[in-house]
Amino acid sequence: MAAVNSVSFSALSQCSDRRLPIPSARSLASHFDGFRFRKSVFCHYSGVRTPSFNSRMVIHCMASGTGSDVTTVAETKANFLKAYKRPIPSIYNTVVQELIVQQHLMRYKKTYRYDPVFALGFVTVYDRLMEGYPSDEDRDAIFQAYINALNEDPEQYRIDAQKLEEWARSQTAASLVEFASREGEVESILKDIAERAGSKGNFSYSRFFAIGLFRLLELANASEPSILEKLCAALNVDKKGVDRDLDVYRNLLSKLVQAKELLKEYVDREKKKRDERAGSQTASEAITKCLGEYSMQTGL
């Protein structure tokens, strides 16, 4: 996993192999447990919602909370649709709808407790996956609707993610893993996580948490594989699980980059065809007009 630990997100966002066929949404989904994408990335790019996001696909699963008021996946997805009513291009819509299912199951686990590292991981995933979205305003609105649908605070996610990013930029590889010996707001957050993870009680490890850790390492320019190992040990988190989840994320991101680039080529090619047809039609109309004027002038 050294390659995963040392590669940057910017490098990930540039990787693409044009010889591969267009990655389908199912292919992208295979890198997240429980994902079931059903549409090609080219399907309904015009912005029509895919059927799998409406009432015809009701997911009858609930989190493992106690009591009779547990929020279902269907309710969370319905809350999202109520909050954001505009159509989403299929390549993004497919990812968003499956992410919200995965995060719903994390959110309503008995051991779940929000923490800023988790928030940083999700914000990183969301921003990378939604990079290049046609409208910045809509991308932000989708984020707001997504987090609100999970009964959490989208502003808190952004604030905590920014706080951790600013902190990590001021760290070195050594200071990052020695947080337990220092005082500070972020240091206290990491100490609390380490204590909860060590007690095996009120801590629920997730893929977003792993990506949050990796983002901290990236911003601190801590690319050595041993630093991730030391950070995991300091936080009482299993490094094997982190390695596995970072590898999954890397593969997903590279496939999504391929899909977006190939989709852009497809859209550009179709636009060129439309422009050529329009130009041909304009030329034909001009010739017809000239011939008509000539006939009128010559009395033919």
Side-chain angles (χ1 to χ4, degrees):
M1 287 303 300
V4 175
N5 298 336
S6 60
V7 70
S8 68
F9 281 114
S10 59
L12 291 179
S13 65
Q14 296 171 359
C15 55
S16 172
D17 187 344
R18 297 178 184 275
R19 294 174 297 175
L20 294 176
I22 299 167
S24 67
R26 181 185 295 276
S27 173
L28 297 177
S30 66
H31 296 285
F32 281 99
D33 295 337
F35 277 15
R36 295 291 185 272
F37 287 175
R38 299 178 182 273
K39 297 292 181 183
S40 162
V41 294
F42 282 168
C43 180
H44 304 306
Y45 184 75
S46 60
V48 178
R49 289 187 186 275
T50 56
S52 58
F53 208 69
N54 62 26
S55 59
R56 282 179 285 176
M57 179 183 176
V58 179
I59 300 178
H60 295 289
C61 60
M62 296 188 298
S64 57
T66 58
S68 59
D69 296 329
V70 177
T71 302
T72 65
V73 171
E75 289 170 338
T76 294
K77 295 177 78 173
N79 289 337
F80 173 79
L81 289 176
K82 289 176 184 176
Y84 189 81
K85 301 180 187 301
R86 301 189 64 180
I88 302 174
S90 180
I91 188 174
Y92 299 100
N93 181 50
T94 310
V95 173
V96 167
Q97 64 173 295
E98 300 299 348
L99 272 179
I100 203 168
V101 171
Q102 184 187 31
Q103 191 163 350
H104 170 97
L105 298 176
M106 297 176 191
R107 165 72 175 84
Y108 291 104
K109 286 180 67 174
K110 290 180 180 179
T111 55
Y112 175 80
R113 177 175 163 183
Y114 170 88
D115 70 65
V117 176
F118 176 94
L120 174 60
F122 174 75
V123 168
T124 299
V125 170
Y126 182 86
D127 288 348
R128 296 298 180 182
L129 294 181
M130 298 294 282
E131 195 172 26
Y133 196 79
S135 165
D136 291 344
E137 182 179 351
D138 286 344
R139 183 175 62 233
D140 292 340
I142 292 170
F143 180 86
Q144 296 276 334
Y146 180 108
I147 300 298
N148 281 325
L150 292 161
N151 292 315
E152 293 193 310
D153 184 355
E155 295 303 321
Q156 192 66 46
Y157 268 72
R158 287 292 184 187
I159 290 171
D160 286 342
Q162 183 178 1
K163 182 190 305 178
L164 263 64
E165 286 180 337
E166 292 174 352
W167 176 83
R169 289 189 182 97
S170 68
Q171 303 302 307
T172 64
S175 66
L176 187 66
V177 300
E178 294 172 356
F179 64 85
S181 63
R182 302 198 318 275
E183 298 298 325
E185 184 178 7
V186 174
E187 286 83 355
S188 295
I189 290 170
L190 297 178
K191 290 176 189 178
D192 176 66
I193 292 171
E195 182 178 351
R196 289 188 288 113
S199 65
K200 308 298 182 183
N202 195 21
F203 176 78
S204 180
Y205 170 81
S206 70
R207 185 161 294 158
F208 294 137
F209 183 87
I211 295 168
L213 291 185
F214 186 63
R215 181 63 173 153
L216 293 177
L217 294 173
E218 182 195 35
L219 293 172
N221 294 315
S223 58
E224 301 84 356
S226 61
I227 302 301
L228 177 60
E229 183 174 1
K230 292 178 180 177
L231 183 58
C232 288
L235 289 168
N236 297 312
V237 174
D238 179 24
K239 181 178 178 293
K240 290 183 180 179
V242 173
D243 283 340
R244 180 182 62 250
D245 287 337
L246 292 179
D247 197 26
V248 167
Y249 177 62
R250 181 192 63 176
N251 290 335
L252 173 72
L253 191 59
S254 64
K255 285 181 179 293
L256 190 67
V257 169
Q258 291 174 29
K260 287 181 180 179
E261 290 189 356
L262 291 170
L263 181 57
K264 183 178 184 300
E265 292 176 2
Y266 171 81
V267 172
D268 290 345
R269 187 164 59 250
E270 291 301 305
K271 182 178 183 298
K272 183 178 180 181
K273 289 180 181 179
R274 289 196 300 270
D275 291 344
E276 289 174 350
R277 287 195 294 268
S280 176
Q281 182 177 357
T282 300
S284 177
E285 291 173 351
I287 292 173
T288 301
K289 181 179 180 181
C290 288
L291 290 175
E293 291 175 351
Y294 176 78
S295 297
M296 291 176 64
Q297 291 173 1
T298 58
L300 295 178

